[in-house]
């Protein structure tokens, strides 16, 4: 299995400039290749340029501009062209599927933040000075950059990427690892219900409250954004204010990830099988359709968009998508099983008698069966139903 590591780099002033140039030159390569594809499509009788043709021109491009393009590694430039190719493939796939995709865009220098090196040893070298106590990664035309390696890298490093986040630089490694030994069986199974008030409720009656990190950071974010809005364009002060906004976002992202990792680890340790709702968060987050006012053409009736925006914020806050991704990765490496079930009626069905009705749930929190008078916390009931559906599905698959 592949595993990704992300380490902070500590470039010198000169190296920082060189890394910036590396991004700038790869960005202009990306934009140039995009321009070529656009021109070919518009003017030359709707032909399309493919990755292979663009990659074949790399040699000439490098020879034409040895000062800039010529100094970076061939492999990394190919990777950048492949990224463009991927953007086009996704664009055409979405057209075919009848969606309305945006045409791949030109990237501003400030929006092009990653360069990939598809192979360790080609244009870059991880742990370039193995006898030095400080880990360093070497990039062609940049030099040996110090790395804050906060954990050991297990397995063979396959690909290396450089990423800029604000004023920080990171190196990302993808390493090939053998599949670890599965954890010993516990003999327990669990169903989970992901929510807003409670981040997670399990079928045993346990709860993990929603930490609401972004709500806690909202005041700091508002202050930082206000300060930013007062700055003059392109001033040093504005640059700092941008950094400040980014750092608030970064902190929330990290807190959310940390929380997701810890919660997921607890589940993977305790249970052999985890059943969860198959959340179509994307659909739930969609903006409600505008309601035109029949009396006044051109104006609109309230459609609940503001209320929905509040809910969206909570959904985003809860970070369910991130959590399920982390949980399935941990489950895979621990040899645990995950089952996704259809969430319909999981909050309305009575776990004791099976009676399914909307009236069973008088409030957001309470479940009270109108047939048998069973009552419990609504989220616990949801988790129990998820577990039941998950086990039924599993049995059907095994049979
Ligand atoms: Zn009942």
């Amino acid at each position: 299995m592949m595993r990704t590591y992300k380490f902070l780099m500590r470039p010198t002033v000169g190296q920082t400039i060189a890394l910036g140039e590396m991004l700038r030159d790869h960005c202009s390569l990306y934009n140039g290749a995009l321009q070529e594809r656009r021109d070919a499509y518009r003017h030359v009788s709707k032909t399309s340029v493919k990755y292979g043709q663009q990659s074949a021109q790399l040699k000439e491009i490098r020879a034409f501009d040895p000062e800039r393009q010529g100094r970076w590694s061939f492999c990394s430039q190919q990777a950048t062209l492949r990224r463009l190719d991927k953007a086009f493939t996704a664009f055409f796939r979405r057209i075919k599927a009848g969606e309305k995709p945006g045409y791949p865009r030109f990237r501003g220098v400030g929006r092009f933040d990653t360069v990939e090196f598809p192979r360790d040893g080609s244009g870059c070298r991880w742990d370039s000075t193995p006898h030095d106590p400080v880990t360093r990664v070497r990039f062609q035309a940049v030099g040996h950059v110090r790395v804050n390696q906060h954990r050991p890298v297990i397995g063979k490093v396959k690909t290396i990427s450089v990423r800029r986040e604000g004023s920080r630089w990171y190196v990302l490694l993808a390493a090939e690892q053998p599949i670890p030994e599965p954890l010993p069986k516990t003999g327990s199974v669990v169903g989970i219900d992901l929510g807003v008030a409670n981040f997670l409720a399990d079928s045993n009656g346990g709860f993990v409250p929603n930490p609401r990190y972004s709500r806690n950071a909202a005041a700091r974010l508002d202050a930082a954004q206000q300060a930013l809005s007062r700055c003059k364009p392109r001033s040093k002060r504005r640059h700092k204010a941008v950094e400040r906004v980014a750092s608030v976002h970064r902190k929330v992202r990290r807190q959310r990830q940390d929380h997701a990792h810890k919660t997921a680890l607890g589940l993977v340790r305790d249970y052999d099988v985890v059943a969860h709702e198959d959340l179509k968060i994307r659909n739930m987050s969609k903006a409600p359709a505008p309601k035109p006012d029949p009396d006044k053409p051109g104006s609109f009736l309230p459609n609940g968009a503001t209320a929905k925006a509040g809910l969206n914020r909570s959904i985003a806050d809860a970070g369910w998508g991130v959590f399920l991704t982390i949980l399935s990765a941990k489950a895979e490496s621990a040899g645990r099983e995950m089952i996704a079930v259809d969430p319909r009626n999981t909050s309305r069905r009575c776990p004791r008698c099976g009676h399914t009705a909307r009236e069973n749930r008088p409030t957001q929190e309470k479940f009270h069966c109108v047939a048998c008078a069973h009552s419990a916390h609504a989220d616990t009931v949801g988790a129990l139903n998820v577990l039941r559906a998950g086990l039924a599905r599993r049995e059907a698959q095994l049979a």
Side-chain angles (χ1 to χ4, degrees), residues 350 352-355 369 371-374:
C350 173
R352 192 192 281 167
C353 73
H355 181 68
C369 179
C372 76
H374 173 67

Side-chain angles (χ1 to χ4, degrees), residues 94 99 279-286:
R94 295 189 63 192
E99 293 171 48
L279 293 165
K280 303 278 183 293
I281 298 180
R282 267 173 70 121
N283 295 341
M284 286 180 69
S285 304
K286 262 190 195 157

Side-chain angles (χ1 to χ4, degrees), residues 22 26 73 75-76 79 115-120 122-124 139-140 158-162:
M22 180 161 92
H26 280 78
S73 88
C75 285
S76 66
V115 170
E116 296 162 23
F117 296 85
R119 248 179 324 126
D120 185 15
S122 166
C124 69
F139 297 107
Q140 183 176 317
K158 293 282 185 188
T159 71
I160 299 175
S161 306
V162 171

